Amino acid sequence: MIKIKLLEVNYMIILGIETSCDETAAAILEVKNKTIRLLGNVVDSQISLHEKFGGVVPEVAAREHMNNMLPILRLVFQEASLDLSAVDLVSSTQGPGLATSLMVGLETGKSLAWSADKKFVPANHLLGHVFSWLLPGEINEKVDISKTEFPFLTLLVSGGHTELVLVSGYNDFKLLGRTLDDAAGEAFDKVAKMLELGYPGGPEISRAALKGRRNAFLFPRPLIKSDDFNFSFAGLKTAVLYELKKIENITEKIRNDIAASFEAAVAEVLVSKTLKAAQKYNTKNIVVAGGVSANKYLREEFGKVKDINVKFPYLKYTGDNAAMIALAGYIKFKVSNFKSQDDYLSLKALPNLTIV
Ligand code: KG4
Ligand code: ZN
């Protein structure tokens, strides 16, 4: 394994910009010797705009990013008591995500960097999630990132992705498995819609499940015994739909039971396959990240695991944010050959960017 010296730079201020889906976000990260510190972190969620459609409408999201981008940047600079002249490196999410949404943050970042003669690196949104557990809990709190232990296994569970990634260094990723159809978060959102709960579905299902019975319905655990590390949630979603069709009067009690039983099925598959991968790849460190990692029940189930260290990002970094993009951008800047700064102006958004 190649050991990368991440920390030869003594001081750097990074501006991170995230607009891949329905959050417009900006953050300012300071790297000083071995520590990182957040100086500002602003996330503006568009949930209220999209909830009446039951999901994110790409055109609406991109327009809203356009409206919000500059006010959010102004806010984050105010929070950090800095201006653009203090920034050394700008990093925007390049992908994956919604094409026109990505373009807003990417073009804004490139324009800022170009106009103020700053460095620019594009960030991979998925790597933002992978390293989000390193971010400090509070503004101004310091975290020593030289102590990061490798390898760790990341279960990345979000609205668009469900992946198991073995992380053996800051630039060493191996994709072990992924969903073959729906992402875990997407399944939460779709089942919530069937139950006529709100959007996004994850938190709604989680709330309803607290009042339900985990074993009221025996939903399938797709691919739980397969030899690979892939996932599948489409069949589980359909199983919920069939069950609902059989019931004439869907009471609140039934809704809660379905939510609890569905959540139990998803969590069992996620925990079981992650542990199997940890065993096969002989790692004692697991990181669970992405929007679904906010799920309380999933956290509790991983909490029961013995002899393995399971880490989660702080709740505010489970969903999309720019702090993780600033960090992913810094890491990319340090580990890659992204030294040639002439070509960033021609970078394009990559809606289907993968982790490796
Ligand atoms: O990481 P994220 O904010 O955006 C993507 O990159 O996709 O993840 C959003 C997903 C949504 O599907 C949402 O329903 C899910 O994360 N989510 C949850 C919870 N909070 C958010 N799923 C389960 N339980 C939660 N508490
Ligand atoms: Zn995300």
Side-chain angles (χ1 to χ4, degrees), residues 6-14 28-39 134-136 138 140-148 170 326-327 330-331 334:
L6 252 191
L7 301 157
E8 76 254 20
V9 163
N10 287 330
Y11 195 82
M12 197 168 211
I13 299 269
I14 303 118
I28 298 178
L29 183 78
E30 176 200 67
V31 183
K32 192 176 187 179
N33 297 322
K34 296 176 176 179
T35 60
I36 58 170
R37 182 163 75 115
L38 263 180
L39 305 180
L134 291 169
L135 290 164
E138 301 297 332
N140 287 328
E141 183 186 330
K142 292 179 182 171
V143 170
D144 183 346
I145 58 168
S146 67
K147 302 224 161 66
T148 309
Y170 282 110
L327 181 57
Y330 168 70
I331 290 171
K334 293 308 298 169

Side-chain angles (χ1 to χ4, degrees), residues 125 129 158-160 185-186 188-189 200-203 206 290-292 294-295 318-320:
H125 181 86
H129 281 302
S158 69
E186 194 179 351
F188 269 96
D189 294 337
S206 191
V292 182
N295 186 272
T318 54
D320 292 344

